Amino acid sequence: MNAPTYNFAYLDEQTKRMIRRAILKAIAIPGYQVPFASREMPMPYGWGTGGVQVTAAILGPDDRLKVIDQGSDDTTNAISIRKFFQKTAGVAVTTSTVNATVIQTRHRIHEAQLGAHQVLVYQVPIPEPLRFLEPRETETRRMHALAEYGLIHVKLYEDIARFGHIATAYAYPVKVNARYVMDPSPTPKFDNPKMDNCEALQLFGAGREKRIYAIPPYTTVQSLDFEDYPFEPYKHKACCALCNAADSYLDEIVTDDKGSRMFVCSDTDYCETRQAQGHRGSENASPFAESRHA
Amino acid sequence: MMTTIAEMPAGFADKVIAAQSTFRTVMDAMARPGSVQLIRAVSGVPAPMMRGAAAIALTLFDQDTPVWLDEKLATSGDVIKWIKFHTSAPVIADAAGSSFAVIADPTSLPEFDRFALGSPEYPDRSTTIVIQVASLSEGPAYRLSGPGIDGVTVLRAAIGVPDLADRLAENACRFPRGIDLLLVSGESIVALPRTTQFVAQEG
Amino acid sequence: MYVAVKGGERAIENAHRLLAHERRGDRSVPEVSLDQISNQLSLAVDRVMTEGSLYDRELASLAIKQARGDMIEAIFLLRAFRATLPRFGSSEPIDTAQMQVRRRVSSTFKDMPGGQVLGATFDYTHRLLDPALMGEASPEQPSVVAEAEPGVMPRVTDILGRDGLIEPSPVEDPEHQVGDITRDSLSFPADRDLRLQNLARGDEGYLLALGYSTQRGYGRNHPFAGEIRVGEVSVEFVPEDLGFAVPLGSITLTECQMVNQFKGSDTEAPCFTRGYGLAFGQSERKVMSMALVDRALRARELGEDVKAPAQDEEFVLSHSDNVQSTGFVEHLKLPHYVDFQSELGLLRKLRKEFAEANEAPTPMQEAAE
Ligand SMILES: [Zn+2]
């Protein structure tokens, strides 16, 4: 038995070509889900195989890769994916958002604004925004072909009737370039506005469902809403307990069994950068910083 | 005159890295229509193909992508042989079945509806046309807008396709169906995906 | 002071070490060898090869060992390895009529050319735990059975086909290239070549349940096990530069030809229809289930109403792959706290509004208008 050897960035060249062609068509048809022959990857389906395949197809020796899950570089799945590319592509990795050229993410868009030199790769579990309204691929495909999106508006309106609000907190559907309704992946709707007219290319990979889609730079991305019920991004009404940021998406941390809780930035790089700049939150008073200021 | 395989122009020296670098250039071009991007990878080039077109072929063509060549390329036996040898792509006679088309003579570019336009359900199943043009830095000015462009960008290019603006306007009307263009001049490339609005600048 | 959770990298490394330790188990017990797995757990190896889509007993045995006997994990390991293999081309179609048969049963004819060959089967064993196997058992040598002459075992469906009693076996269409679900994403409606490929690598338990459901009336198709045969078939390949077929070797296969309820119309004489199953190794439950589901999925083509789950092509084919299924089910273990926070925030807001509305006389209807 020969020990298996693997190509640069794991995928063989034929697979990369197939994915690359799908990416180009995805960019040419913003928000449209291009079918591709997703491969079995050495991590389970549902754990980022779509994002990993897209990243593997675009990554080169000059890139600096950042991987986040839930906004953090240190979550186990982010570490696992980052290590995979270090091992198979020998690529430079970073946790710094501004220094990264390729950022693969699950469930968040980081806080720092994306630049033109960057590509954001999303891991997508269910790429079809209409799937939970209509389980049949043949049907949803027809709806996209005819831009027949009444169903999703009805669903959002039923929410309003029942709850007084649109009851979708994450994976909030958007319309791309005024044509395709698209699933932004399960990011909180707080992140939706960041996709609109973004300087960077955004690529979406769904491995198990075998779809790739894209938002080119400077493309309108509109969260679906109604004139009398406009889209509103949500975040906890609090500041980060570590860096005092008031504008970032916050994780709620339960600190004891008596209902005490605190809030900290979900984007760890954003939070640490702010702390390094001297920002201090309620749980993070720094005597050194204070004495220096004194 | 036909060459033997030994005399045939080479492919990429480092296939993996050259293909990756060329793809990123094409991806950047497609993501930012109208911007001129430079292909850095070096390969042998069968005349009358241009360096950029050869690199695109080596990067994106394979046995799964039927390729259509215009007469100027098809009648040069070396180009077909080179494509088949280095990419294994089938060279076909009917443009409507092609994933890629390569055009060396823009003045005789067939109408777009001769190529694959995709279907409303699968608009991605359409031809990407690689057109070799005289210049992507000098020539008439065109105003471009649409996804990938911050407002409006101006492209100066000697493209040579008759009525290109009209054809692209017609192409846009078919959206989401449609062809996508990659213009090549030497090692420079410019992409015009189906979403780009393309008008000749007045005056 | 609060410190954010760190050290995930070390945690992962430790988990890997622990896993390797637990896989090995008690180190005073001899380690199981790949040969032992391949020989003594041979049906497990067959299943992993079939659903892993790779005919390699040694690697399948390795996968089972590495997966600690978790079959779906082993199938996943084999698939992930397969995905990296270069593709030289497609073999010539195999011919199961030329099979070196080790076992062959038909429920439709008492006897036929070549006869019934019972072979090695659990079928008529009494399912009593055998204490003899608790130690090292050395079973009696089987009496030598004369090998069947090649060519004297026509397939039962071929016998029926000569009289036109069963629909003809589909003939290869040179215009239509056989699809490949490992190279193209499946689109619907899917032709039978793609459906059969999907079922061949589909989860045995899933196909078993679906096949069973057709027998219980959810898309009943009156099946008879026309024939199940197990044996060796040779595989040939035509290298482009040679232009003629060269043998690559032989593989063990199990084939099931199900004979199903007849169809007919004003213009067509009635005849039986077919359901087909094929798998690597000896995998009888798999091929029988597959044949039942294949027949159920032909409802559209045969003009039957599509009413039952097993007839629903999108449903059946989209959920048959256990590597995909397990990945997505198990991914719920990954952190989802960003989404959960988002949902929590919304829920709190809705509850607050509900409480306020029930205190104040402002009716909820207002919001609904
Ligand atoms: Zn913070």
Side-chain angles (χ1 to χ4, degrees), chain A residues 239-250 263-275 279 281:
Chain A
C239 293
C240 171
L242 296 179
C243 77
N244 211 33
D247 56 355
S248 66
Y249 190 79
L250 300 170
F263 296 93
V264 297
C265 294
S266 117
D267 181 340
T268 46
D269 178 59
Y270 182 75
C271 195
E272 281 160 19
T273 305
R274 280 180 54 84
Q275 291 176 60
H279 297 282

Side-chain angles (χ1 to χ4, degrees), chain A residues 10 14 35 37 39-40 45 47 70 74 83 106 136-138 165 169 186 210 229 232 236 249 252 283, chain C residues 1 6-7 9 79 84 182-183 185 312 314 324 327 335-339 341-342 348-349 353 367:
Chain A
Y10 184 79
Q14 195 182 338
R39 300 290 195 249
E40 272 93 1
Y45 282 118
W47 299 52
Q70 315 294 303
D74 202 43
K83 284 193 85 112
R106 174 169 176 267
R136 272 168 212 288
E137 170 72 12
T138 36
H165 298 278
K210 301 178 167 51
Y229 286 92
E232 41 184 66
H236 292 300
Y249 190 79
E252 179 178 332
E283 290 292 314
Chain C
M1 183 182 137
K6 285 272 176 194
E9 194 155 342
R79 286 259 199 103
T84 66
T182 67
R183 296 177 74 191
S185 82
D312 185 332
E314 275 204 55
Q324 289 176 9
H336 283 77
Y337 40 77
V338 165
D339 293 346
Q341 292 303 312
S342 210
R348 282 188 184 130
K349 181 173 170 174
E353 286 174 359

